[in-house]
Amino acid sequence: MRTLLNRVGPLGVAAIILGSNLILSSCAQEVVAAPPGEAEPVAGKRVFAGAIGYGAATAGGDGGKIIYVSNHSDAGPGSLRACLTSTGKRVCVFRVGGVFRFTTTPPIIKDPYLTIAGQTAPGGGVVIAHAGGNQARTPIVIKRTHDVIVRHVRVRLDRLSGNRESDDGFTIEDSFNVILDHVSASWASDELVNGYADNDRITISNSLFSYGIPRHDKCALLASDPKDAQNVSFIANICAHNGDRNPDINFPPGSCVEVINNVFYNAQSQFAEVWETYGGTPVSIVGNSFIGGRDTTANAQGVVREIFGSTGLASIYLWNNTFSGDFEHVTASAEAVLTETPPCPLTINPAAAATAYDAVLAGSGAWPRDTLDRGVVADIRRGSGNIDDRPGTLPSPIAEAPYPDTDRDGMDDRWEQTHGADPRVSDPWADADGDAYSNFEDFLAYREQMLRPST
């Protein structure tokens, strides 16, 4: 059964649309939620046109040095590690695609103002992994820093780590102004994406997180041990084939947390978990699709309020979410804290859940899509697939030569010749067409269109 939930009131009244029929679950006084209202995007310049959510004004490496990633070595000149651990404003531009495997302990991104531009890679794009064993840790850790943008890369943990508690796909820790956009992650034995400690102004968008490894198969832990109120956006992502934490939402009062236009598929026990450990999370859950799969049990929960260790009441705003499958769509405990209006204005105007469903399946994850991400999308469409109990085999990225870049400014000479830039002079941060975006960001937008999935 597929239902659209507009509102379940704090007095235990459910307003569920089945087709066009309004059904009230009890004869108690109805409390109907208001529409979310006009969005209030965050202030500040967008480095790229598609930047959304609370992290939208993140600067990344805008205006900095272009650093070539030109080999697959673990370290040394031209390595991915060399770019990630460099200092100052910088952009990682990939002159080779394929698998970048950290054979020693992976680096930590500590210096601010970094953009990882995976869409510059030739062929099948960028896959980041570790070598397994005792030195294996989360490959992308953004720690005690700010203004970091990561786009169009995949983290595939095909080898088991000896440190399960430190084996995420992506970790954001004690950082602010961070965007993860169009990334993919699979086979983490901890969370696929994890927020930890004192973060703020974070956006996780247009991404695909699949196949967490049991018995800790988790999609997204948006906050863990938060030190203060946070502003976090989780928008237009897929969580698929993960037992729970789809996502886990545990923030202190005063936070602004929005979970908008995502597709959550085949949770085994829980989809969205709203916790009260730090005084009660305020969250808006709007325009999402919660879809049961082969591993989803009848006892599974769609939107659940977790009261273990509660130190204050959560505040949950639900609007226009769809629920498909034989599981408990909204728990009674969650109904008790539902609100009529969002705790904070949304940063985007959400699409209807059905519209978002099609858009997210068409475009989430790193581009170009590999066979793993294409398979996940196919599973969602068909209602197929299962949670895996071990990592799979890395898809083999197609190898191609890089585009010509005579002046080493990160842009294709041929594109520069036709878009007003000069292929003989390094001019990535000029604005040849006067559109308020740099030449380099215009070029990245062009690359994205070239790599866009066909289905």
Side-chain angles (χ1 to χ4, degrees), residues 7 11 25 45 66 109 167 187 222 227 253 273 298 386:
R7 185 68 178 95
L11 299 181
S25 65
K45 177 187 174 183
I66 301 296
I109 298 168
D167 192 40
W187 304 322
L222 299 186
K227 308 306 180 188
E273 307 171 38
N386 294 93

Side-chain angles (χ1 to χ4, degrees), residues 124-135:
V126 175
V127 181
I128 303 173
H130 56 51
N134 290 333
Q135 288 187 299

Side-chain angles (χ1 to χ4, degrees), residues 112-318:
Y113 300 112
L114 167 68
T115 295
I116 304 174
Q119 63 269 56
T120 59
V126 175
V127 181
I128 303 173
H130 56 51
N134 290 333
Q135 288 187 299
R137 302 288 195 282
T138 304
I140 299 293
V141 177
I142 301 164
K143 184 173 182 177
R144 296 176 188 162
T145 189
H146 60 88
D147 288 278
V148 176
I149 298 172
V150 184
R151 304 188 72 204
H152 292 288
V153 302
R154 304 174 194 86
V155 172
R156 306 287 196 215
L157 304 184
D158 62 322
R159 300 180 186 177
L160 290 174
S161 170
N163 307 279
R164 185 200 60 76
E165 69 280 0
S166 302
D167 192 40
D168 300 323
F170 297 85
T171 292
I172 305 168
E173 178 179 347
D174 281 322
S175 296
F176 63 93
N177 288 353
V178 175
I179 297 175
L180 303 181
D181 179 70
H182 284 290
V183 301
S184 298
S186 296
W187 304 322
S189 53
D190 204 9
E191 282 80 22
L192 292 163
V193 61
N194 174 34
Y196 179 73
D198 192 19
N199 294 322
D200 199 16
R201 300 193 294 278
I202 308 296
T203 291
I204 303 168
S205 57
N206 302 303
S207 296
L208 200 162
F209 305 109
S210 62
Y211 295 115
I213 298 299
R215 298 180 61 182
H216 202 77
D217 42 326
K218 317 291 185 182
C219 182
L221 180 61
L222 299 186
S224 178
D225 296 329
K227 308 306 180 188
D228 202 349
Q230 301 184 12
N231 297 283
V232 175
S233 300
F234 194 77
I235 302 174
N237 305 296
I238 290 175
C239 285
H241 301 314
N242 302 292
D244 60 350
R245 297 186 183 174
N246 294 281
D248 183 295
I249 311 161
N250 195 2
F251 292 81
S255 298
C256 291
V257 186
E258 54 185 17
V259 177
I260 303 174
N261 286 157
N262 302 283
V263 176
F264 304 122
Y265 175 65
N266 195 34
Q268 186 171 45
S269 58
Q270 292 171 317
F271 288 86
E273 307 171 38
V274 183
W275 287 78
E276 299 177 336
T277 311
Y278 302 103
T281 301
V283 61
S284 296
I285 301 175
V286 177
N288 303 284
S289 296
F290 297 83
I291 307 167
R294 291 178 175 175
D295 297 299
T296 306
T297 68
N299 294 325
Q301 300 163 318
V303 177
V304 54
R305 170 182 162 223
E306 296 282 10
I307 60 175
F308 178 79
S310 175
T311 60
L313 294 179
S315 175
I316 306 173
Y317 173 77
L318 297 182

Side-chain angles (χ1 to χ4, degrees), residues 40-121:
E40 295 184 12
V42 299
K45 177 187 174 183
R46 271 55 169 171
V47 171
F48 63 95
I52 55 176
Y54 285 110
T58 298
D62 186 45
K65 56 191 173 184
I66 301 296
I67 299 179
Y68 273 7
V69 179
S70 55
N71 62 62
H72 297 101
S73 300
D74 177 83
S79 67
L80 176 58
R81 184 189 296 269
C83 185
L84 299 184
T85 59
S86 183
T87 60
K89 292 183 179 181
R90 63 211 186 277
V91 179
C92 299
V93 168
F94 291 83
R95 301 300 287 167
V96 291
V99 179
F100 298 81
R101 189 180 297 279
F102 295 118
T103 55
T104 59
T105 302
I108 294 175
I109 298 168
K110 296 180 180 178
D111 209 76
Y113 300 112
L114 167 68
T115 295
I116 304 174
Q119 63 269 56
T120 59

Side-chain angles (χ1 to χ4, degrees), residues 45-48 62 430-439 441-442:
K45 177 187 174 183
R46 271 55 169 171
V47 171
F48 63 95
D62 186 45
D431 182 10
D433 62 2
D435 67 349
Y437 293 102
S438 68
N439 293 340
E441 287 301 334
D442 286 342

